[in-house]
Amino acid sequence: MKKILCMGSMNIDLTMFSKELPKPGETIKTDNFNTFPGGKGGNQAATLGKLGANVKYFTKLGDDLFSKQLIDEQKKLGVDTSEIIIEKNETAGVAMIMVDSHAQNSILFNPGANAKLTPNDVINNQHIFDDCDILEITMEIPVETCYQAIKIAKQKGLTVILDPAPAPKNGIKSEIYKLVDYIKPNESETEILTSVVVSDLDSAKEGLTKLISLGVKNPIISLGKHGCLYKTNNSIKVVEAIDMKSIDTTAAGDIFLAGFAFALAQDKDMDYCINFANTIASLSTTVKGAQTSIPTLSKVMQIFKEK
């Protein structure tokens, strides 16, 4: 199996569930509170580790208890955390998540030490790319740091998977698109990147076509409960989400992209990778939390074989 380098943020998710999300100025009382390890990059690495992938992580964390907890959780799943930079007197990222009865969520996020990972940190530690084949990176770290990692990854021959979340308000530099092998925005991120408002399948296809014109080789647009749209060879395909009793969609997009990378690391074709990713993401919505919702490989394969 090819080795995957994950970059992005690791956070602690402070999560509450309620019947509905509060409106501006409204207070809603709940009877629950949970603390989960999270962060888009952390979720992806944890998923890959749980699936049994060969995965390494690079970011910057603090010397607080949350940071130590996050690293310990990754180690338990077999993720190589030896290259993570520890910044003294800094904290891990923190996400405050509210989830309603329809499994929709609203999130406030403070990146903590993740935001202090600099382009020079990447340059000074570029040996981390040497034994890896795939870079899976999110944009919860500084944008220029993300760009630097992508540039070095391509110089060293890695396949690049970009999760453009959160998407930069001014879009992504044109030179970066040409270095990205796979990109997976959701509907709102597609609008930021392409100016195409994704409201139905036709507009999603328009957004996908625009991403191709920008230079991305294999764009994927996730459509939430409606599945995803992607390009393979010379055609555009749609895969519908698997009908399951969803209770929490937190991290489903992260788990989708990690599942995609896991299949790609085994040299599976695009259709296989997408369908595997769709299966694991759908399963994750049936359990509360981010990393706590990651299913086992055996569970994924039970469902995947039935398709």
Side-chain angles (χ1 to χ4, degrees):
M1 183 179 292
K2 292 180 177 178
K3 188 169 185 177
I4 302 167
L5 172 64
C6 282
M7 288 184 62
S9 67
M10 283 190 188
N11 311 318
I12 285 291
D13 292 346
L14 310 178
T15 306
M16 286 186 283
F17 297 83
S18 64
K19 184 177 180 181
E20 57 187 5
L21 300 178
K23 301 178 180 65
E26 181 183 16
T27 298
I28 295 178
K29 182 180 178 181
T30 71
D31 61 357
N32 62 85
F33 173 75
N34 295 282
T35 301
F36 300 113
K40 297 188 72 62
N43 293 338
Q44 290 169 7
T47 302
L48 287 162
K50 190 167 184 177
L51 290 173
N54 187 358
V55 56
K56 176 164 60 177
Y57 202 89
F58 181 65
T59 191
K60 183 176 283 186
L61 289 174
D63 54 4
D64 63 316
L65 291 176
F66 280 158
S67 294
K68 293 174 183 176
Q69 179 183 343
L70 290 169
I71 290 174
D72 286 344
E73 291 296 329
Q74 293 286 337
K75 286 181 177 178
K76 289 177 186 176
L77 294 169
V79 178
D80 179 355
T81 62
S82 60
E83 300 289 353
I84 292 176
I85 299 172
I86 303 300
E87 189 86 357
K88 290 185 178 180
N89 302 317
E90 290 293 337
T91 67
V94 176
M96 302 182 68
I97 302 174
M98 297 175 289
V99 184
D100 70 12
S101 58
H102 301 289
Q104 298 302 305
N105 59 54
S106 180
I107 302 172
L108 281 174
F109 168 61
N110 183 319
N114 297 284
K116 298 193 175 184
L117 186 70
T118 68
N120 280 337
D121 288 328
V122 178
I123 293 170
N124 293 336
N125 291 277
Q126 59 182 285
H127 64 275
I128 61 174
F129 297 87
D130 291 340
D131 63 342
C132 295
D133 305 287
I134 297 170
L135 170 66
E136 183 161 68
I137 187 167
T138 78
M139 303 192 81
E140 285 182 330
I141 55 176
V143 172
E144 292 301 325
T145 304
C146 180
Y147 290 164
Q148 185 64 67
I150 290 172
K151 290 175 184 176
I152 291 177
K154 293 312 293 183
Q155 289 170 7
K156 292 178 177 285
L158 277 70
T159 297
V160 174
I161 303 172
L162 174 62
D163 184 354
K169 291 183 178 180
N170 296 323
I172 292 172
K173 287 183 179 179
S174 58
E175 64 184 284
I176 299 300
Y177 280 117
K178 296 177 176 62
L179 301 178
V180 172
D181 296 285
Y182 303 90
I183 190 171
K184 188 204 71 66
N186 61 19
E187 299 101 312
S188 61
E189 291 153 3
T190 299
E191 181 177 352
I192 293 171
L193 299 180
T194 68
S195 299
V196 175
V197 178
V198 178
S199 57
D200 54 24
L201 194 56
D202 286 339
S203 55
K205 289 180 179 178
E206 183 182 350
L208 195 81
T209 302
K210 182 66 177 292
L211 287 169
I212 295 169
S213 71
L214 290 169
V216 179
K217 301 174 186 68
N218 300 286
I220 305 160
I221 297 179
S222 57
L223 304 170
K225 63 182 180 180
H226 300 296
C228 71
L229 185 77
Y230 67 103
K231 172 185 174 288
T232 179
N233 298 323
N234 295 316
S235 63
I236 293 176
K237 295 185 178 181
V238 180
V239 171
E240 295 182 359
I242 300 171
D243 186 18
M244 294 188 180
K245 294 181 179 179
S246 297
I247 61 172
D248 183 8
T249 58
T250 303
D254 306 333
I255 292 170
F256 176 100
L257 206 52
F260 180 87
F262 177 74
L264 192 69
Q266 299 172 75
D267 290 324
K268 302 296 185 181
D269 63 27
M270 187 71 169
D271 291 335
Y272 183 102
C273 292
I274 289 289
N275 280 287
F276 183 89
N278 189 47
T279 303
I280 191 171
S282 297
L283 274 170
S284 75
T285 68
T286 64
V287 179
K288 290 181 179 180
Q291 293 174 27
T292 52
S293 72
I294 302 167
T296 62
L297 179 58
S298 60
K299 180 64 176 177
V300 177
M301 296 311 295
Q302 286 175 9
I303 304 297
F304 188 65
K305 288 178 180 177
E306 292 173 2
K307 289 167 56 62

